[in-house]
Amino acid sequence: MADAMWSILALILSLGSSPMQTAAAPPDVDVELLLAVDVSGSMDMEEARVQRSGYVQALRHPDFINAIEGGFLGRIAIGYFEWAGLVNEASLVGWQVIENAKDADAFASLIEARPIGPRRGTSLSNAILFGTNLIESNAFSGTRRVLDISGDGPNNTGPPVPPARDAALARGIVINGLAIMIRPSFSTGPLDEYYTACVIGGPGSFVLPVHEPEDFAIAIRQKLVLEVSGLTPEPAATPAAAHAAADCMIGERLRPGFLDRIYPELDR
């Protein structure tokens, strides 16, 4: 009888400790890094391909792997999505843990396999709001949380950028930028200045400009290494009065019908 009771107790204890009964918690990570990539129609297909290739190369580069392995925990959580006037939710590559070159290669392959298709509009605000929700809702616990957003123009649709940016910063999310200035628009002013004033924010936040297609891979790699390492680039010396303050509504103002939407009561 005693032997039977011990057998039953042992069975109960084994079931209680079974891995099928308890889901493993996601590991802590050095950084939660979300890549938000512009695929708006102002980018031609060649630029879009060069940008995609730049991300894939950067994710597989030894400098990126070394930065991850050199972290306190030696692992990061990373995700990826593409955006234009709206976020292309089908482009989402969900959160993955990267600890080594094999993990990074697998994540890069998921991005590499996605179709490339530019879309209409440029809504940095929608990208920030979507990215904030993805970071807030993931199951990881990172020392830092970073939204890495690329773009080749100012916000011209969707909500204004500053409130979306401020909401992300209030949640402890750092926003960094990659300002794509291959075909700069003189009507909207220097894009890196717009990003600095209106888009990025948080401790150690920064913008890197890209002026030539061949600079994509290097700039993206540099940005990812800095973000994983928790570092910032050396500041460029710029006279304080060199440029006027950027207009955070410049993209909306240049969009046809802007005044009609803001002041519909005006009779012009």
Side-chain angles (χ1 to χ4, degrees):
M1 182 68 176
D3 289 343
M5 290 180 64
W6 280 113
S7 297
I8 293 171
L9 179 58
L11 177 60
I12 292 172
L13 290 174
S14 68
L15 289 175
S17 61
S18 169
M20 295 182 64
Q21 302 296 315
T22 305
D28 291 343
V29 294
D30 287 312
V31 61
E32 302 163 42
L33 176 59
L34 183 59
L35 309 178
V37 178
D38 181 8
V39 293
S40 58
S42 52
M43 265 192 189
D44 60 32
M45 284 299 294
E46 181 57 28
E47 286 178 343
R49 278 192 287 267
V50 169
Q51 178 179 230
R52 170 73 62 81
S53 175
Y55 276 96
V56 169
Q57 290 179 49
L59 290 164
R60 289 173 171 155
H61 198 278
D63 289 352
F64 177 63
I65 310 304
N66 291 337
I68 293 172
E69 294 177 344
F72 180 73
L73 296 172
R75 57 179 172 265
I76 69 169
I78 191 168
Y80 173 98
F81 69 90
E82 296 172 346
W83 60 276
L86 296 171
V87 172
N88 177 15
E89 296 195 31
S91 72
L92 175 64
V93 178
W95 293 99
Q96 311 278 328
V97 173
I98 295 182
E99 295 185 274
N100 51 46
K102 182 179 178 181
D103 297 336
D105 179 66
F107 186 76
S109 294
L110 292 174
I111 296 173
E112 193 173 30
R114 305 209 63 80
I116 298 176
R119 295 168 175 247
R120 295 183 59 186
T122 300
S123 184
L124 283 153
S125 55
N126 280 332
I128 292 172
L129 291 169
F130 185 82
T132 298
N133 182 63
L134 281 180
I135 293 173
E136 282 280 277
S137 62
N138 77 38
F140 296 97
S141 178
T143 305
R144 291 172 291 112
R145 306 198 295 172
V146 178
L147 176 58
D148 172 332
I149 188 163
S150 73
D152 72 341
N155 196 73
N156 62 24
T157 189
V161 174
R165 184 261 320 270
D166 294 345
L169 302 188
R171 289 164 173 79
I173 297 170
V174 173
I175 303 176
N176 293 329
L178 185 74
I180 302 168
M181 303 168 68
I182 296 172
R183 293 183 295 180
S185 170
F186 295 101
S187 60
T188 59
L191 186 63
D192 52 349
E193 294 181 13
Y194 172 89
Y195 263 65
T196 299
C198 311
V199 180
I200 70 165
S205 59
F206 62 89
V207 177
L208 290 183
V210 175
H211 296 283
E212 302 293 339
E214 56 268 26
D215 294 339
F216 257 118
I218 295 173
I220 292 169
R221 182 172 77 242
Q222 181 185 4
K223 184 156 60 69
L224 295 185
V225 168
L226 290 170
E227 289 165 338
V228 168
S229 304
L231 303 175
T232 55
E234 291 294 327
T238 304
H243 304 288
D247 178 0
C248 292
M249 294 292 290
I250 187 62
E252 290 89 342
R253 294 183 201 284
L254 294 175
R255 192 173 179 88
F258 170 76
L259 291 178
D260 292 328
R261 295 193 300 276
I262 302 301
Y263 304 110
E265 72 281 3
L266 293 181
D267 182 9
R268 290 185 297 277

